[in-house]
Amino acid sequence: MVLVFPWVIYLMFRRSDTPFNQEEKTRVSATDAISISGKMNSEELLQNAVLQLSATDNLLELEKAICQALKLILPNCGDVFVYLYDSVHNKWSSSCHVSLINEGIIRRVMTSQTMLTLYHVPETDPLCKLLSAPVGRNTCLTVYPVTQGSQVIALFFGVSSGLCAQEENNLKFLGKQVQLCHKRWHIASQKSKHENRSAALILQLCAELHHQDASSLQVKIIQFLLDQTDAETGFLLLTGTDGTDLFCQVIGNRILKEEIRYVGECDTFMTLLENKETIFSHFMKQNQIQDVANFLEMSVTSLMCYPVVNGVSGNVVTLAVLVNKKHSDFFNEEDRCAVDNCFKYTGSLMASTVAFQNERRLKNQTEALLQVARNLFRHLDNLTHLLQKIMQEARNLTKAERCSVFLVEEDELVAKVFDGTQTSDKQSEIRMPKNQGIAGHVATTGEILNIKDAYSHPLFYRGVDETTGFRTRNILCFPIMDENEVIVGIAQLCNKIGGPGFSTFDEELAKAFSIYCCISIVHSLLYKKVIDAQQRSSLSNELMLHYMKVPPDEVKYLSSCKIRAPQTFDNQMDKFTFIPRGIPDQDTPLACLSMFEDQGFIQRWRIKQDTLARFILMVKKGYRDPPYHNWSHAFSVAHFCYLLNKNVHLNDYLNEIEVFALFVACMCHDIDHRGTNNSFQLASRSVLAALYSSEGSVLERHHIALTMCILNTEGCNIFENLSREEYQQVLDLIRDIILATDLANHLKIVSELRVMAMAGYNKEDTHCRSLLLSLLMTSCDLSDQTKNWENSKQIAKLIYKEFFSQGDAEKAIGKTPVEMMDRDKACIPDLQIDFMDHIALPVYEILADVFPVCTPVKDTVKRCRQLWQDKANQIKQNPVDSYQDMFEVEIDDQKN
């Protein structure tokens, strides 16, 4: 809005011989004007007067310039008096300091707005009081007004003998120049007044910007900009520490719950960061305007983006975005100046407040991470508990719904904990290829993956969501790396709570958090190794005290004796019907030596007899004496392996080193068995459980460890003449074969074994050979069930004696044993039938399908199963008092 400020200038002329009152009026010397006018013509005088007027920039200078101009263009006039109306302060002013009374002649001139010449001034007129002598005789009073539009902006009066036509024309021209000067002064005054008002508002704004919270400070700055530019709404985009990302904390007067970040996503904003120039909506592309409309979720009709540049670094620190000018179709340069003027004073304050907030957030983050470190380092003694704690802390720090951690083991990712809970007993861990899925991508690239929309990402697998009913919206997956940038694990967070996705701040937090995770995981694994070493040392001492060394005379005898043929022990030794438990215990090492020789292992693998003798005796010595899982059982298992090799010719189905490993594994598969199962080891928290519980198959891993220990004993390494590759291969095979004796592992692959038997065995298929080895090991381990009925009964007595002993031990520690372990509840025939139906018979049925020559073995198991059924039926008809009595019940074993 343009305001008109009227100026009123009174010009008084008087001849030099009639002076005015010197105390009330300012005199203008006519002598100077006459001397100048004598040297210049009329046109030059007028030009000089105009130049003097044009040089003025304030009210006082303008008054003086007008007086000088009148002296130049009216040299014959007497003293000149000038009055000006100060519209800013709403008062008349003059250097003569005499108040002007707007009555009489002055009123007539102000009303008519025309020049007035009077030859008589009434004594009652207020103007007469200003004159020192009355007007009359040869003098007249001339009053000349200068107007601007409908208002008088200049007026002069004085006494003279009259003005000629040229002088009147000069006055008219001077009046026009006064009009121009008035307009210029008016604009300058208006601008100055506006600037003063803006400065006052900015000072008031600065006085109110005392918040340490950057969001509250932004609310006030945005509101100020909206008032100054008449915008509907607006927001500020602050630049991140690296200057490549933008984040918004406030829109209008609303503080966002979660700041919104742009990382090179919005072309409009990123262009401003580079160009550092203000851009208006009428110079923007429609898609750029639509970006802002989508961000604000409103229609955008006009827009202005203003970059705030740091004067020291020259970088953009803030983008001020104003949207929808209320009473105009677009923002203009005046709006840009208003924003520029605001940030001249508030830019540095806001930048320092944001920096302070970032420092405070960093401090809080550091304190939180230190607390995380304290929490994590309290659980170094248990990796599972540590991983659970990592999950909990990760969710708390990033406000995520769920979290998973994968550890990197060679070419696999292993998960033991999901969402802070350990995996079920049936599935103690989950393994997946290192290069599979989102976690695999992070594991192979080492880069953080922040996925805003999980279902649109090509690496996301929806199957888990469809199975569990959980809906994954967004994912933040980050690597856990050590100081050498080796990835030891992967953490995956799902679903940001209260936000559309994980922010770059969450990414930064994850990077810092991963350092503590790595330190704790590495130290936990190291701690476990130390504890394992202590446990192994303790166990070794226990074994040394229990077993000591093999007597030298036994080693000497077995090393020097002639290796006997198997038929010298019994002419039926290579038949499936032969019962190896009939060989005296003292002759079993000789029999083992005989089976090694008869299968060609000694010659093929260049095994020294003294080394083999020492190995066999050490393995025999390694078995304890529980009722069933003793050396006699191990010898029987190894003998059945010998039978399979002799009758089936395993070299036609397996590699020769696989057959060799199978036989050795059968000998060692239950070494140092304690007469209790894996469940008891875990429940009693035994030394073995402490060593192997995290890996599963506690006893089997202990048998493997002792086998390796014997092989590493001086003079016992029967694999010493194998090549490096063969040596590593045979150790891996023994490990896998012994692990297959865990029935929990066997049950997992039964369906695959059936498929293999139906589809046909393929020796060239590595997986087929692995399945066959597991099948052969299980059939050897259960081979006591393949003998005659009397042997089956005796074996059952030994097994249940061992089971009931464990049940008694479980009761002693306050545990309730399962039925088969409870001597007071077990019905042995029923338990035997159940065992055969679900475990033994399926094994030998598959074995017979693969090797038809083993059909008699399957038939024997079926016959024993029927006899147990007969015994169960008889016991139901004639109940017994104890489990021992169950074995005394007579049945006719000839009718089947």
Side-chain angles (χ1 to χ4, degrees):
M1 180 183 296
V2 179
L3 302 177
V4 178
F5 294 85
W7 300 356
V8 180
I9 306 173
Y10 288 89
L11 309 177
M12 294 184 169
F13 303 93
R14 176 157 178 86
R15 295 181 62 87
S16 57
D17 57 348
T18 312
F20 288 94
N21 189 318
Q22 297 299 318
E23 294 180 358
E24 299 178 354
K25 304 173 184 62
T26 300
R27 296 173 181 248
V28 180
S29 173
T31 307
D32 295 336
I34 295 172
S35 62
I36 295 174
S37 63
K39 300 176 182 179
M40 296 184 182
N41 57 33
S42 176
E43 183 177 351
E44 290 175 340
L45 290 174
L46 195 58
Q47 290 178 355
N48 194 38
V50 170
L51 290 174
Q52 291 187 50
L53 287 176
S54 301
T56 61
D57 59 3
N58 60 63
L59 197 63
L60 181 60
E61 291 181 358
L62 182 61
E63 180 186 349
K64 292 180 179 179
I66 293 173
C67 292
Q68 292 294 332
L70 289 171
K71 285 177 58 179
L72 291 174
I73 65 174
L74 301 173
N76 297 323
C77 187
D79 295 334
V80 177
F81 291 83
V82 177
Y83 279 84
L84 297 178
Y85 178 70
D86 186 351
S87 58
V88 174
H89 299 92
N90 195 25
K91 66 177 183 178
W92 295 98
S93 67
S94 175
S95 58
C96 68
H97 306 295
V98 178
S99 298
L100 187 67
I101 301 174
N102 190 14
E103 294 180 3
I105 296 173
I106 298 300
R107 180 182 294 275
R108 286 172 57 191
V109 174
M110 294 286 286
T111 302
S112 63
Q113 297 185 4
T114 57
M115 185 178 70
L116 182 64
T117 302
L118 298 173
Y119 292 93
H120 172 72
V121 178
E123 294 182 0
T124 58
D125 193 288
L127 186 58
C128 189
K129 298 178 180 179
L130 298 175
L131 304 176
S132 57
V135 176
R137 304 181 213 172
N138 298 324
T139 63
C140 64
L141 176 64
T142 301
V143 182
Y144 185 83
V146 179
T147 60
Q148 179 74 50
S150 61
Q151 296 183 351
V152 175
I153 63 170
L155 182 71
F156 63 85
F157 65 89
V159 178
S160 67
S161 59
L163 300 179
C164 65
Q166 181 62 40
E167 288 175 334
E168 288 185 9
N169 289 336
N170 288 345
L171 277 177
K172 291 179 181 180
F173 182 79
L174 180 62
K176 292 181 180 181
Q177 299 306 313
V178 170
Q179 289 177 346
L180 295 176
C181 291
H182 156 261
K183 186 174 182 179
R184 178 163 54 85
W185 184 86
H186 165 71
I187 293 173
S189 298
Q190 178 70 5
K191 181 178 179 181
S192 176
K193 183 178 179 180
H194 179 72
E195 289 178 351
N196 290 338
R197 179 175 176 274
S198 297
L201 291 174
I202 290 176
L203 287 175
Q204 182 181 353
L205 173 65
C206 292
E208 295 175 355
L209 298 181
H210 50 74
H211 302 276
Q212 293 183 346
D213 176 29
S215 297
S216 300
L217 183 142
Q218 290 177 63
V219 169
K220 292 194 174 182
I221 291 178
I222 291 172
Q223 188 58 53
F224 177 84
L225 294 177
L226 298 184
D227 293 341
Q228 291 293 300
T229 61
D230 200 28
E232 180 181 345
T233 189
F235 56 93
L236 301 180
L237 290 174
L238 310 177
T239 58
T241 52
D242 57 357
T244 60
D245 62 329
L246 298 167
F247 60 94
C248 178
Q249 298 174 327
V250 178
I251 297 178
N253 59 358
R254 176 170 57 93
I255 298 176
L256 303 178
K257 292 182 179 180
E258 286 287 333
E259 66 182 30
I260 301 174
R261 290 195 169 236
Y262 296 89
V263 186
E265 296 176 358
C266 185
D267 178 64
T268 304
F269 300 144
M270 291 303 137
T271 301
L272 282 172
L273 285 180
E274 297 175 1
N275 297 343
K276 304 175 185 178
E277 295 180 356
T278 303
I279 185 171
F280 297 93
S281 55
H282 43 284
F283 297 120
M284 296 169 62
K285 297 178 182 178
Q286 186 59 39
N287 65 313
Q288 294 177 323
I289 299 175
Q290 190 60 43
D291 285 342
V292 180
N294 294 338
F295 172 63
L296 295 175
E297 297 181 350
M298 62 180 290
S299 175
V300 175
T301 58
S302 57
L303 179 71
M304 179 177 72
C305 296
Y306 176 88
V308 181
V309 180
N310 185 298
V312 178
S313 65
N315 297 326
V316 175
V317 295
T318 305
L319 288 179
V321 183
L322 299 172
V323 179
N324 293 353
K325 192 170 178 66
K326 293 180 181 178
H327 300 100
S328 179
D329 293 335
F330 51 83
F331 292 91
N332 53 36
E333 184 65 18
E334 185 178 347
D335 297 321
R336 190 202 66 80
C337 292
V339 177
D340 181 72
N341 196 37
C342 172
F343 283 108
K344 281 182 181 179
Y345 300 96
T346 62
S348 59
L349 178 61
M350 189 179 69
S352 60
T353 303
V354 172
F356 172 76
Q357 179 175 277
N358 290 337
E359 290 297 327
R360 184 172 58 185
R361 182 165 61 177
L362 181 61
K363 175 178 176 292
N364 295 336
Q365 174 187 337
T366 303
E367 291 177 351
L369 289 174
L370 288 175
Q371 183 61 45
V372 166
R374 285 193 289 268
N375 294 339
L376 295 184
F377 293 157
R378 292 193 187 105
H379 298 83
L380 295 182
D381 58 333
N382 189 306
L383 182 60
T384 298
H385 292 168
L386 173 63
L387 294 178
Q388 291 173 346
K389 198 65 181 177
I390 288 175
M391 298 301 90
Q392 177 185 343
E393 297 294 345
R395 291 197 307 270
N396 293 341
L397 284 173
T398 60
K399 297 181 181 179
E401 286 186 13
R402 290 192 178 183
C403 184
S404 302
V405 165
F406 301 86
L407 298 182
V408 177
E409 293 185 6
E410 297 180 353
D411 293 329
E412 290 184 314
L413 296 177
V414 183
K416 300 177 184 292
V417 175
F418 283 89
D419 196 31
T421 57
Q422 192 172 359
T423 52
S424 63
D425 293 337
K426 294 182 179 179
Q427 193 175 32
S428 59
E429 63 183 27
I430 294 178
R431 292 178 175 268
M432 58 186 290
K434 186 179 177 181
N435 60 352
Q436 186 179 64
I438 292 172
H441 176 81
V442 174
T444 52
T445 63
E447 299 176 353
I448 288 182
L449 201 57
N450 190 349
I451 302 173
K452 303 297 184 184
D453 182 3
Y455 277 71
S456 66
H457 199 278
L459 294 177
F460 178 68
Y461 175 64
R462 304 185 182 189
V464 177
D465 279 12
E466 293 171 355
T467 302
T468 62
F470 179 78
R471 173 76 180 186
T472 303
R473 300 191 310 274
N474 40 70
I475 295 174
L476 177 62
C477 191
F478 59 92
I480 301 173
M481 293 189 290
D482 62 15
E483 64 277 6
N484 297 320
E485 296 188 354
V486 175
I487 299 175
V488 300
I490 301 296
Q492 184 168 292
L493 297 159
C494 295
N495 292 1
K496 176 76 172 180
I497 298 174
F502 295 96
S503 64
T504 54
F505 177 71
D506 292 324
E507 294 180 23
E508 295 169 2
L509 201 59
K511 289 179 183 178
F513 175 67
S514 67
I515 296 173
Y516 293 96
C517 291
C518 181
I519 294 172
S520 59
I521 290 174
V522 169
H523 281 77
S524 180
L525 294 173
L526 180 61
Y527 179 82
K528 186 179 185 305
K529 289 181 181 179
V530 172
I531 297 300
D532 286 354
Q534 292 177 349
Q535 298 283 3
R536 292 179 195 279
S537 177
S538 174
L539 186 61
S540 297
N541 291 336
E542 178 187 346
L543 291 173
M544 289 295 293
L545 292 173
H546 183 75
Y547 300 114
M548 300 303 291
K549 294 183 179 180
V550 177
D553 56 337
E554 294 184 18
V555 176
K556 183 178 180 181
Y557 170 74
L558 198 61
S559 300
S560 58
C561 71
K562 182 179 179 180
I563 300 177
R564 297 163 54 183
Q567 289 74 20
T568 62
F569 295 93
D570 193 292
N571 59 5
Q572 298 293 313
M573 190 173 175
D574 60 351
K575 302 295 187 294
F576 282 119
T577 56
F578 178 73
I579 300 174
R581 290 177 182 270
I583 297 177
D585 181 70
Q586 65 272 17
D587 290 341
T588 52
L590 286 170
C592 287
L593 203 62
S594 176
M595 289 187 287
F596 266 97
E597 173 66 23
D598 193 41
Q599 294 178 89
F601 295 150
I602 295 177
Q603 182 179 1
R604 170 62 183 87
W605 304 107
R606 305 186 303 280
I607 305 174
K608 298 177 183 178
Q609 186 172 339
D610 63 333
T611 301
L612 181 58
R614 192 174 289 104
F615 175 78
I616 293 172
L617 291 172
M618 284 288 287
V619 171
K620 181 176 183 294
K621 194 71 174 176
Y623 278 87
R624 301 196 183 200
D625 195 28
Y628 178 71
H629 288 96
N630 48 36
W631 167 248
S632 182
H633 166 66
F635 178 73
S636 298
V637 172
H639 176 261
F640 194 81
C641 180
Y642 166 75
L643 292 177
L644 289 173
N645 197 11
K646 296 296 290 182
N647 290 276
V648 175
H649 306 294
L650 293 178
N651 284 333
D652 294 339
Y653 299 90
L654 298 168
N655 297 334
E656 55 184 353
I657 196 171
E658 293 173 332
V659 179
F660 182 32
L662 176 64
F663 185 75
V664 175
C666 285
M667 288 182 59
C668 303
H669 81 285
D670 272 335
I671 192 169
D672 195 41
H673 199 290
R674 310 307 181 76
T676 54
N677 60 15
N678 286 331
S679 297
F680 181 82
Q681 299 297 325
L682 295 172
S684 63
R685 298 183 180 180
S686 66
V687 174
L688 297 183
L691 276 173
Y692 306 113
S693 62
S694 63
E695 301 172 89
S697 304
V698 172
L699 286 170
E700 288 74 21
R701 293 191 184 277
H702 176 55
H703 306 326
I704 295 168
L706 280 187
T707 301
M708 302 304 162
C709 183
I710 291 174
L711 288 170
N712 289 327
T713 301
E714 185 178 359
C716 295
N717 190 0
I718 60 175
F719 304 134
E720 60 185 350
N721 290 322
L722 274 64
S723 67
R724 180 186 295 272
E725 292 77 12
E726 291 171 335
Y727 189 85
Q728 185 61 52
Q729 184 181 4
V730 77
L731 294 184
D732 290 342
L733 284 167
I734 290 174
R735 178 198 63 202
D736 294 340
I737 293 170
I738 293 178
L739 285 175
T741 62
D742 187 346
L743 287 179
N745 293 331
H746 165 73
L747 293 174
K748 293 177 182 178
I749 63 170
V750 168
S751 59
E752 290 187 78
L753 292 172
R754 293 186 189 278
V755 171
M756 180 190 72
M758 292 177 62
Y761 177 75
N762 181 8
K763 182 180 179 181
E764 303 305 320
D765 188 338
T766 303
H767 186 56
C768 270
R769 294 203 308 275
S770 176
L771 289 174
L772 181 61
L773 282 170
S774 297
L775 174 65
L776 294 173
M777 182 67 243
T778 303
S779 63
C780 292
D781 197 15
L782 305 180
S783 60
D784 277 319
Q785 307 296 327
T786 67
K787 310 304 177 181
N788 60 34
W789 170 242
E790 286 301 320
N791 182 78
S792 181
K793 287 194 298 181
Q794 292 303 315
I795 294 302
K797 286 183 180 180
L798 297 175
I799 289 174
Y800 285 98
K801 182 179 180 181
E802 187 172 297
F803 281 0
F804 295 155
S805 177
Q806 175 179 321
D808 295 341
E810 287 178 328
K811 292 177 181 178
I813 61 174
K815 304 290 184 180
T816 302
V818 296
E819 182 182 352
M820 72 170 63
M821 304 285 183
D822 193 335
R823 67 177 70 247
D824 299 322
K825 298 179 180 179
C827 179
I828 293 173
D830 288 342
L831 292 171
Q832 282 294 98
I833 293 168
D834 185 68
F835 169 73
M836 288 186 167
D837 285 344
H838 294 92
I839 304 295
L841 265 176
V843 168
Y844 294 108
E845 286 172 349
I846 296 172
L847 186 68
D849 288 341
V850 178
F851 307 118
V853 71
C854 294
T855 301
V857 176
K858 176 189 70 173
D859 294 340
T860 301
V861 177
K862 284 185 174 181
R863 182 172 181 275
C864 287
R865 190 261 180 216
Q866 184 58 49
L867 291 172
W868 281 111
Q869 182 65 61
D870 294 344
K871 185 179 281 290
N873 294 337
Q874 192 166 347
I875 290 174
K876 288 178 181 178
Q877 294 175 3
N878 302 292
V880 297
D881 296 328
S882 66
Y883 79 91
Q884 293 94 337
D885 296 337
M886 296 181 188
F887 293 103
E888 303 303 325
V889 175
E890 295 294 335
I891 60 171
D892 185 2
D893 61 347
Q894 300 301 319
K895 68 179 182 179
N896 296 299

